[in-house]
Amino acid sequence: MLRVGIINVTGYAGAELARLLYTHPSVRLVSVSGRSGAGKPLGEVFPHLACYDLTIDPEASDVDFIFSALPHVASAEALAPLVRGGLPAIDISADFRLKDANEYAAWYGAEHPEPGLLAQAAYGLAELNRESIRASRLIANPGCYPVSALLALAPAVKAGVIAPDIIVDSKSGISGAGRGLGLPYHFAEADESVSAYGLNGHRHLPEITQELAGIWHGESIAGVEPRVTFTPHLIPMTRGILSTCYAPLREQAGLSKDRVRDIYREFYAGEPFVRVVDTPPATKQVRGSNMCLVYPTIDPRTGRFIAVSVIDNLVKGAAGQAVQNMNLMMGFPETAGLLGPAMYP
Amino acid sequence: MLRVGIINVTGYAGAELARLLYTHPSVRLVSVSGRSGAGKPLGEVFPHLACYDLTIDPEASDVDFIFSALPHVASAEALAPLVRGGLPAIDISADFRLKDANEYAAWYGAEHPEPGLLAQAAYGLAELNRESIRASRLIANPGCYPVSALLALAPAVKAGVIAPDIIVDSKSGISGAGRGLGLPYHFAEADESVSAYGLNGHRHLPEITQELAGIWHGESIAGVEPRVTFTPHLIPMTRGILSTCYAPLREQAGLSKDRVRDIYREFYAGEPFVRVVDTPPATKQVRGSNMCLVYPTIDPRTGRFIAVSVIDNLVKGAAGQAVQNMNLMMGFPETAGLLGPAMYP
Amino acid sequence: MLRVGIINVTGYAGAELARLLYTHPSVRLVSVSGRSGAGKPLGEVFPHLACYDLTIDPEASDVDFIFSALPHVASAEALAPLVRGGLPAIDISADFRLKDANEYAAWYGAEHPEPGLLAQAAYGLAELNRESIRASRLIANPGCYPVSALLALAPAVKAGVIAPDIIVDSKSGISGAGRGLGLPYHFAEADESVSAYGLNGHRHLPEITQELAGIWHGESIAGVEPRVTFTPHLIPMTRGILSTCYAPLREQAGLSKDRVRDIYREFYAGEPFVRVVDTPPATKQVRGSNMCLVYPTIDPRTGRFIAVSVIDNLVKGAAGQAVQNMNLMMGFPETAGLLGPAMYP
Amino acid sequence: MLRVGIINVTGYAGAELARLLYTHPSVRLVSVSGRSGAGKPLGEVFPHLACYDLTIDPEASDVDFIFSALPHVASAEALAPLVRGGLPAIDISADFRLKDANEYAAWYGAEHPEPGLLAQAAYGLAELNRESIRASRLIANPGCYPVSALLALAPAVKAGVIAPDIIVDSKSGISGAGRGLGLPYHFAEADESVSAYGLNGHRHLPEITQELAGIWHGESIAGVEPRVTFTPHLIPMTRGILSTCYAPLREQAGLSKDRVRDIYREFYAGEPFVRVVDTPPATKQVRGSNMCLVYPTIDPRTGRFIAVSVIDNLVKGAAGQAVQNMNLMMGFPETAGLLGPAMYP
């Protein structure tokens, strides 16, 4: 059994990771740390995790594999010595996602604490980057919005179907904002209300742009800089992201809805966690699971391509993707610990 | 006191109209009809309306003014004889919104029952069409989504700020689907879930397009046919619509966010029910009220214009707009009966 | 026009009061104060109150009537000089509800700051105490749970129907916990969850007991000390309280459900804000309104009396009751400003 | 691998059973039937179950073990021939719960279709009836409310702590009403609302009474007929039941809260799915899992015993209990397929 640890288990991503690892056949969670709850039994902070006989320590220790669910900056700082010491690691924070340290500084308002590690970190979206993940010892687990946007758009980009002029309109459950208190997440304020935010630029935008550009460049359309507008919205529910993505069709003639769906089916053939669907999906259909459902279509009136994707932001958008990455890194079956269907209704 | 009637009070738009009329200083609701609840006291079907001493009749009668909250086709059929008899009327259904009977037939799957009345019906969005409403005896009350989209976009269109290539991504509470039962509106299915629908074409699309085209034509840009993509989404809340609207800026140079906001402020100066706001609004801020909040901005990275609007779909998107229209038609103060602030939280 | 002020408008009770006063025909809100938002326009803190042209001041001033929505202790301290100066006042906090300062100290963990004012304060539940309210210059506005429990139980107590052995099982929306942040009110924690709290004794318990005892004593059953168990529960909704009240029937023979309902109808005859209903009510039926619906019944299998009541905790349970009390004190029609039906759905 | 079938997979209990069985190590779901969706792939009716390559058949066939999630009457009729043919079966409907066919007829409004099978059916609440379940071939899976009430009360009854004068005030998520449409379960009606129902007698009442009486009789207090009042409430959430149970303490002297908790801890020692907790639990802590959390306490002011329990109505209250029962019947580890922690938040 692989002995794994979670740094900062006390946020939602960390707790979700502990939930998923409990039934993983090849690993054992042996160490959890947290800043807020140090010294307390894990089951006191999270009653649903009372199945674990673990105490929250100030630091994770004596493990073969480490996940960090710390906030950015703190995460890179905590992981750096472990990674240098040879421990395989997955960083759920944003610290190793942007390949350019200047871009990082511009968006995150701080110098990157460990720019020297950037080159060895693989971007951990398995469906687009499986081989790099397998070969890497440090994974930048992707942001929840980027997962939903990239899985919705990648096949269309690869196939040259769309022009690089993209709108991602995302709707997220409120757990995406984390466990830290704030008036916008206070029940009486958030309940029965929808709002847009981040209209001046959300930190997941450069991540989406970087990865989309990578696909375009990989397709030898050198120099393409996709123009992406990204608008996240807060939805009165706990879990789930639905992203509605729009782009102009590059060659409209003859491209039917069925053909677009076939392109997607081919792209995702054999993928255990992405399913191309025939009708627009609902976030509830993936709640609690690592699945992403994608519905691509075209609007013949305007010549636009539209793709709708749904994920659980805490699973495929965070902890589930992290387990999938660990499976790839350690040579476990990719679906180990991730087979449970969504909790519906 | 104006004696008013509501045909089909038993849906949500009808019930909301009765709620609003109760405190209107110049009218008295004297007759309500309904297909489902005929013969029952209004307060039995809707306990919150027990303040009325009214029985649901098979037909509305003996009134000076009539609202119809019937479904389309049935609504035009019920109103036609009354309108011909001289009764001022507001149709909350879609029957008189599209000026072209062929377009109506194509979208609503039925021949228009009263094409002869189309010419005299005014499109009842007060902020864009006030004088026609004042002069008319038959009002086509606008659809909920079109209200949110048109108020978000009209100033930008008028001012020549955007190109006619528009995406309207709308998020609606579930009361918009009405009181009729259906699996997508069953609590356990709809709760904690977001989904897109109408991707093959929603009936509010031609209404949005028609009215936007009217503005462009009015601006002497003859022949402009706006290309509109409209994607509605179902949100797990009862009331509210937030529309996020995107379009390319026509002349990007020099157009700051502040300048765009000023254009909107000028356009809506003096309007009692539209407020241009400095931060992205939330639907809860207008819940139960006739207000529309609009937040226009630009995305300088991509040269896109973005406007976010919020309304209560049952008030400004239906019954409140209808009261506002009645006020205009009858010479009452435009805000009569509509002054109550939103119910927050 | 009566010039009124609200001390601490920045909580939910204060904001709701401002909402209700906006359409009151005989008063004008001219001064609002708040600790958190001082200096800001009211419409910036609460966008739905932008209809007011008011700035949040550090202190309320130049008014004919004052409401305090401060927390306990602070409220009595702020009101005392105003009350002594002759200003009629309504305290929405708990400071003047318990007639016994020792009881206050035991439950609120602080010496009562103004025990000398306790004797002149009237308990402001209009249906049980109308004449005292009319005659008083200082009103202790009742707690939200006590309103729901007392209106559910008073007629049965008065009529000698039940023994003084009472269980009040209450279900409250989360706005009852106020606008202050806390993990139990964080959306992702509170959503889709029910929990009980206050099982070691909630502060509304002595208030319920005191007022029930008063009714029993008034009925010349001297020395009766009702034994009350009170269990509040947190419900994943914003507004509303439903209380289910249980007590043994004193004389079971011959007391039918219909007879119990008649006793309640007689008790509440002519009351504008209490309605006795024939089927169990739902909190949504009173949402946003000052109504209380009461459903009394008996369980013939066990000889128990059961009454279910619903109110909106922020209206009849706080701000609406306060307006009703002001109306009584100032000789306005009791329903002034409170006529709007509930917002349903 | 045990080959199992589900009759009527198309309701929520059936679908939840399919979800849980997917990761069960010793069984394979090979046949599902349904009245509504016959002929369709299971994944079309329930996208979250697309992991199964199964079609919904008119009848289940070729199985070693059968679950029925049909409504009452239909369920007994469908199971009878299979049970007589020797197939081990679990009935999730109410058909075999009440031991007295007359009682059944009185509460369910129909003659019992198979009274001859009643004697051989075991009541399937594992914590109270484990050996009977192991020895039986036909299990009456308990109702969701009874599970929550019985687990909350059984230790206190067994230990002679309470008098047989019991109130069960239950709060249930709306999935408990099933997948069938109805106005009370229409999102816009149920959302943001609480209501009581079943005040004239709910069908789970005789089940609770029968099982409590059984415990009292087992304790040689012959002839005790517990007087139970049961009030269910509808809560605006999808899953979960919280039951607050009240009873007079029989011998108050010296019985501390700690002592009561110890009694409960001893009673449930070693139980994998019941945990006695030190603070009042929330339904979210068991969401999606087979756990029941119980919080027993006393109200020293009134001499009352109070116990609060939480379960997921679709898991421990239906499908999870059914899997647990199958495990007992077939000699699998009792926790097989049921180890996943709750989905929190």
Side-chain angles (χ1 to χ4, degrees):
Chain A
M1 298 289 270
L2 186 76
R3 299 167 54 85
V4 311
I6 301 172
I7 304 177
N8 202 36
V9 74
T10 50
Y12 289 143
E16 185 69 355
L17 199 42
R19 176 178 82 90
L20 294 172
L21 292 175
Y22 190 72
T23 52
H24 195 292
S26 310
V27 313
R28 197 148 70 90
L29 179 62
V30 296
S31 172
V32 294
S33 76
R35 295 191 288 191
S36 52
K40 291 189 189 168
L42 181 57
E44 189 182 317
V45 175
F46 292 115
H48 71 298
L49 298 178
C51 47
Y52 281 110
D53 186 24
L54 286 174
T55 297
I56 300 175
D57 292 321
E59 291 197 16
S61 58
D62 193 19
V63 298
D64 308 322
F65 195 101
I66 194 78
F67 294 94
S68 167
L70 281 167
H72 61 271
V73 178
S75 195
E77 288 171 353
L79 284 178
L82 306 176
V83 169
R84 290 206 182 89
L87 199 64
I90 294 180
D91 179 17
I92 298 183
S93 90
D95 278 342
F96 298 103
R97 294 179 195 159
L98 299 182
K99 294 181 181 7
D100 177 343
N102 293 327
E103 188 86 346
Y104 178 91
W107 284 94
Y108 288 90
E111 288 305 302
H112 196 290
E114 294 288 344
L117 289 175
L118 282 174
Q120 62 182 278
Y123 187 74
L125 187 49
E127 287 76 12
L128 303 184
N129 217 17
R130 185 168 280 118
E131 292 317 311
S132 305
I133 295 166
R134 277 204 179 107
S136 180
R137 305 283 285 178
L138 171 60
I139 302 295
N141 215 58
C144 51
Y145 287 121
V147 169
S148 75
L150 295 170
L151 293 178
L153 289 164
V157 172
K158 275 265 188 196
V161 168
I162 56 174
D165 193 12
I166 288 167
I167 290 170
V168 177
D169 188 292
S170 294
K171 296 89 178 164
S172 174
I174 295 174
S175 66
R179 208 168 180 233
L181 305 182
L183 196 57
Y185 323 124
H186 194 52
F187 185 90
E189 305 277 326
D191 177 48
E192 294 290 299
S193 196
V194 187
S195 55
Y197 68 104
L199 282 150
N200 291 327
H202 184 283
R203 285 165 172 175
H204 286 177
L205 171 59
E207 186 180 337
I208 296 170
T209 306
Q210 165 186 287
E211 294 302 311
L212 286 178
I215 304 175
W216 256 297
H217 297 173
E219 295 307 289
S220 305
I221 314 180
V224 167
E225 261 327 299
R227 298 188 309 138
V228 181
T229 293
F230 167 51
T231 318
H233 298 77
L234 220 51
I235 302 296
M237 62 183 189
T238 298
R239 288 172 178 239
I241 289 178
L242 181 146
S243 288
T244 316
C245 306
Y246 304 90
L249 283 168
R250 229 167 56 184
E251 27 185 321
Q252 189 177 351
L255 205 57
S256 69
K257 293 177 188 179
D258 283 351
R259 177 70 195 113
V260 166
R261 220 167 294 155
D262 285 346
I263 290 171
Y264 271 65
R265 289 238 158 81
E266 286 155 27
F267 188 92
Y268 287 123
E271 286 295 343
F273 296 121
V274 181
R275 194 148 47 88
V276 181
V277 290
D278 292 332
T279 51
T283 58
K284 182 166 272 202
Q285 293 163 355
V286 297
R287 203 172 157 79
S289 90
N290 200 47
M291 290 299 297
C292 173
L293 306 185
V294 182
Y295 174 77
T297 189
I298 62 175
D299 176 2
R301 287 177 200 85
T302 60
R304 263 190 205 99
F305 170 82
I306 307 174
V308 179
S309 68
V310 295
I311 59 168
D312 182 321
N313 57 304
L314 293 180
V315 188
K316 186 63 178 171
Q321 179 62 63
V323 172
Q324 188 179 355
N325 286 333
M326 176 194 69
N327 289 341
L328 288 169
M329 293 166 80
M330 305 308 293
F332 302 141
E334 189 167 340
T335 59
L338 298 170
L339 285 170
M343 203 183 84
Y344 186 97
Chain B
M1 299 290 268
L2 185 77
R3 298 167 55 84
V4 311
I6 301 172
I7 304 176
N8 201 37
V9 74
T10 49
Y12 289 143
E16 185 70 354
L17 200 42
R19 174 177 84 91
L20 293 171
L21 292 174
Y22 190 71
T23 52
H24 194 290
S26 310
V27 313
R28 197 148 71 88
L29 179 62
V30 297
S31 172
V32 294
S33 77
R35 296 190 289 191
S36 52
K40 291 189 189 168
L42 181 56
E44 190 182 316
V45 176
F46 292 115
H48 72 299
L49 298 178
C51 47
Y52 281 111
D53 187 24
L54 286 173
T55 297
I56 300 175
D57 293 321
E59 292 198 14
S61 59
D62 195 17
V63 298
D64 308 321
F65 195 101
I66 194 77
F67 295 95
S68 167
L70 281 167
H72 62 271
V73 179
S75 194
E77 288 172 353
L79 284 177
L82 305 176
V83 169
R84 291 208 181 87
L87 199 63
I90 294 180
D91 180 17
I92 298 181
S93 91
D95 278 343
F96 298 104
R97 294 178 195 159
L98 298 182
K99 294 180 182 3
D100 178 341
N102 293 328
E103 189 86 345
Y104 178 92
W107 284 94
Y108 289 88
E111 288 305 302
H112 196 289
E114 295 288 342
L117 289 176
L118 280 174
Q120 63 183 277
Y123 187 75
L125 187 50
E127 288 75 11
L128 303 184
N129 218 15
R130 186 167 280 117
E131 291 319 310
S132 305
I133 295 165
R134 278 206 178 102
S136 179
R137 305 284 284 177
L138 172 60
I139 302 296
N141 214 59
C144 52
Y145 287 121
V147 168
S148 75
L150 295 169
L151 293 178
L153 289 165
V157 173
K158 274 265 187 198
V161 168
I162 56 174
D165 194 11
I166 287 166
I167 291 170
V168 176
D169 188 291
S170 294
K171 296 90 178 163
S172 174
I174 295 174
S175 66
R179 209 168 180 234
L181 305 181
L183 196 58
Y185 323 124
H186 194 52
F187 186 91
E189 304 278 325
D191 177 49
E192 294 289 301
S193 196
V194 188
S195 55
Y197 69 105
L199 283 151
N200 291 327
H202 185 283
R203 285 165 172 176
H204 285 177
L205 170 60
E207 187 180 337
I208 295 169
T209 306
Q210 165 186 287
E211 295 301 312
L212 285 178
I215 304 175
W216 257 297
H217 297 173
E219 295 306 289
S220 305
I221 315 182
V224 167
E225 262 326 300
R227 299 186 309 137
V228 180
T229 292
F230 167 52
T231 317
H233 298 77
L234 219 53
I235 302 295
M237 62 182 189
T238 297
R239 289 171 177 239
I241 289 178
L242 181 146
S243 287
T244 315
C245 306
Y246 305 89
L249 284 168
R250 229 167 54 183
E251 30 184 318
Q252 189 176 350
L255 204 58
S256 68
K257 293 177 188 179
D258 283 350
R259 177 70 197 114
V260 166
R261 222 168 293 155
D262 284 345
I263 291 171
Y264 270 65
R265 290 237 158 81
E266 286 154 28
F267 188 93
Y268 287 124
E271 286 296 343
F273 296 121
V274 181
R275 193 148 49 87
V276 181
V277 290
D278 293 333
T279 51
T283 58
K284 182 166 273 202
Q285 294 163 356
V286 297
R287 204 172 155 79
S289 89
N290 200 47
M291 290 299 297
C292 174
L293 306 185
V294 182
Y295 174 76
T297 189
I298 61 174
D299 175 2
R301 287 177 199 86
T302 59
R304 267 192 201 96
F305 169 82
I306 307 173
V308 179
S309 68
V310 295
I311 59 168
D312 183 320
N313 58 305
L314 294 179
V315 189
K316 187 63 177 170
Q321 179 62 62
V323 172
Q324 188 179 357
N325 286 334
M326 176 194 69
N327 289 341
L328 288 169
M329 293 167 80
M330 306 308 294
F332 301 142
E334 190 168 339
T335 59
L338 297 171
L339 285 171
M343 201 183 85
Y344 186 99
Chain C
M1 299 292 268
L2 185 77
R3 299 167 55 84
V4 310
I6 301 173
I7 304 177
N8 201 36
V9 74
T10 49
Y12 288 143
E16 185 69 355
L17 199 43
R19 175 177 83 91
L20 293 172
L21 292 174
Y22 190 72
T23 53
H24 195 292
S26 310
V27 313
R28 197 148 71 88
L29 179 62
V30 297
S31 172
V32 294
S33 76
R35 296 191 289 191
S36 52
K40 291 190 188 168
L42 181 56
E44 189 182 317
V45 176
F46 292 116
H48 72 298
L49 298 178
C51 47
Y52 282 111
D53 187 23
L54 286 174
T55 296
I56 300 175
D57 292 321
E59 292 198 15
S61 59
D62 194 19
V63 298
D64 308 322
F65 194 101
I66 194 77
F67 295 94
S68 168
L70 281 167
H72 61 271
V73 179
S75 194
E77 288 172 353
L79 284 178
L82 305 176
V83 170
R84 292 209 179 86
L87 199 64
I90 294 180
D91 179 17
I92 298 182
S93 91
D95 277 343
F96 298 103
R97 293 178 195 159
L98 298 182
K99 295 181 181 3
D100 178 343
N102 293 327
E103 189 86 346
Y104 178 92
W107 284 94
Y108 289 90
E111 289 305 301
H112 197 290
E114 294 288 343
L117 288 176
L118 281 174
Q120 63 182 276
Y123 187 75
L125 187 50
E127 287 75 12
L128 303 184
N129 217 17
R130 186 167 280 117
E131 292 317 311
S132 305
I133 296 166
R134 277 206 179 104
S136 179
R137 305 283 284 176
L138 171 60
I139 302 297
N141 215 58
C144 52
Y145 287 121
V147 168
S148 75
L150 295 169
L151 293 178
L153 289 165
V157 172
K158 274 265 189 197
V161 167
I162 56 174
D165 194 11
I166 288 166
I167 291 170
V168 177
D169 188 291
S170 294
K171 295 89 178 164
S172 173
I174 295 174
S175 66
R179 208 168 181 235
L181 304 182
L183 195 58
Y185 322 124
H186 193 53
F187 186 91
E189 304 278 325
D191 177 50
E192 295 290 300
S193 197
V194 188
S195 56
Y197 69 104
L199 282 151
N200 291 327
H202 185 282
R203 284 164 172 177
H204 285 178
L205 171 60
E207 187 180 336
I208 295 171
T209 306
Q210 165 186 287
E211 295 302 311
L212 286 178
I215 304 175
W216 255 298
H217 297 171
E219 295 306 290
S220 305
I221 314 182
V224 167
E225 262 326 302
R227 298 188 310 139
V228 181
T229 293
F230 167 52
T231 318
H233 298 78
L234 219 53
I235 302 295
M237 62 183 189
T238 298
R239 287 172 178 238
I241 290 178
L242 181 145
S243 287
T244 315
C245 306
Y246 304 89
L249 283 169
R250 228 166 56 181
E251 28 184 319
Q252 188 177 349
L255 203 59
S256 68
K257 293 177 188 179
D258 283 351
R259 178 70 195 112
V260 166
R261 221 168 293 155
D262 285 346
I263 290 171
Y264 270 65
R265 290 239 157 81
E266 286 155 29
F267 187 93
Y268 287 123
E271 286 296 342
F273 296 121
V274 181
R275 194 149 48 87
V276 180
V277 290
D278 292 333
T279 50
T283 58
K284 182 166 272 202
Q285 293 163 356
V286 297
R287 204 172 155 80
S289 90
N290 201 47
M291 290 300 296
C292 174
L293 306 185
V294 182
Y295 174 76
T297 189
I298 60 175
D299 176 1
R301 287 177 200 86
T302 60
R304 264 191 203 98
F305 169 83
I306 307 174
V308 180
S309 68
V310 295
I311 59 169
D312 183 320
N313 58 304
L314 294 179
V315 189
K316 186 64 177 170
Q321 180 62 64
V323 172
Q324 188 179 356
N325 286 334
M326 176 194 68
N327 289 341
L328 288 169
M329 293 167 81
M330 305 309 293
F332 301 142
E334 189 168 338
T335 59
L338 297 170
L339 285 171
M343 201 183 86
Y344 186 97
Chain D
M1 298 290 269
L2 187 76
R3 298 167 54 84
V4 311
I6 300 172
I7 304 177
N8 201 37
V9 74
T10 51
Y12 289 143
E16 185 70 353
L17 200 42
R19 175 177 83 89
L20 293 172
L21 293 175
Y22 190 71
T23 52
H24 194 292
S26 309
V27 313
R28 197 147 70 90
L29 179 62
V30 296
S31 171
V32 295
S33 77
R35 295 191 289 192
S36 52
K40 290 188 188 168
L42 181 56
E44 189 182 317
V45 176
F46 292 114
H48 71 299
L49 298 178
C51 46
Y52 281 111
D53 187 23
L54 286 174
T55 296
I56 299 175
D57 292 320
E59 292 197 14
S61 59
D62 195 18
V63 298
D64 308 322
F65 195 100
I66 194 78
F67 296 94
S68 168
L70 281 167
H72 60 271
V73 179
S75 194
E77 288 171 353
L79 284 177
L82 304 177
V83 170
R84 289 207 182 88
L87 199 63
I90 293 180
D91 180 16
I92 297 183
S93 91
D95 278 343
F96 298 103
R97 294 178 195 159
L98 298 181
K99 295 183 181 5
D100 177 343
N102 294 328
E103 189 86 346
Y104 178 92
W107 284 94
Y108 288 90
E111 288 305 303
H112 196 290
E114 295 288 343
L117 289 176
L118 282 174
Q120 62 182 276
Y123 187 75
L125 187 50
E127 286 77 11
L128 303 184
N129 217 17
R130 186 168 280 117
E131 293 317 312
S132 305
I133 295 166
R134 277 205 178 106
S136 180
R137 304 285 285 177
L138 171 59
I139 303 296
N141 214 57
C144 51
Y145 288 121
V147 168
S148 74
L150 295 169
L151 293 179
L153 289 165
V157 172
K158 274 265 188 196
V161 167
I162 57 174
D165 194 12
I166 289 166
I167 291 171
V168 176
D169 188 293
S170 294
K171 297 87 178 165
S172 174
I174 296 174
S175 66
R179 208 168 180 234
L181 305 181
L183 196 57
Y185 323 124
H186 194 52
F187 186 91
E189 304 277 326
D191 177 49
E192 294 290 300
S193 196
V194 187
S195 56
Y197 69 104
L199 282 151
N200 291 327
H202 185 283
R203 284 165 172 174
H204 285 177
L205 171 60
E207 186 180 336
I208 295 170
T209 307
Q210 165 187 288
E211 295 302 311
L212 286 178
I215 304 175
W216 257 297
H217 296 172
E219 296 306 289
S220 304
I221 314 181
V224 168
E225 260 327 298
R227 299 187 308 138
V228 181
T229 293
F230 167 52
T231 318
H233 298 77
L234 219 53
I235 302 296
M237 62 184 189
T238 297
R239 289 172 177 237
I241 290 178
L242 181 145
S243 287
T244 316
C245 306
Y246 304 89
L249 283 169
R250 227 165 59 182
E251 27 186 319
Q252 191 176 350
L255 204 57
S256 68
K257 293 177 188 179
D258 283 351
R259 177 71 195 113
V260 166
R261 221 167 292 155
D262 284 346
I263 291 171
Y264 270 64
R265 289 237 158 83
E266 285 155 28
F267 188 93
Y268 287 124
E271 286 295 343
F273 296 121
V274 181
R275 193 149 47 89
V276 181
V277 289
D278 293 333
T279 51
T283 59
K284 182 166 273 202
Q285 293 162 356
V286 297
R287 204 173 157 78
S289 90
N290 199 47
M291 289 300 297
C292 174
L293 305 185
V294 182
Y295 174 77
T297 189
I298 62 175
D299 176 2
R301 287 178 199 85
T302 60
R304 264 191 203 98
F305 169 82
I306 307 174
V308 179
S309 69
V310 296
I311 59 169
D312 183 320
N313 57 304
L314 294 179
V315 188
K316 186 63 178 171
Q321 179 62 63
V323 172
Q324 188 179 357
N325 287 332
M326 176 193 70
N327 288 342
L328 289 170
M329 293 167 81
M330 304 310 292
F332 302 142
E334 190 167 341
T335 58
L338 298 170
L339 284 171
M343 202 184 84
Y344 186 98

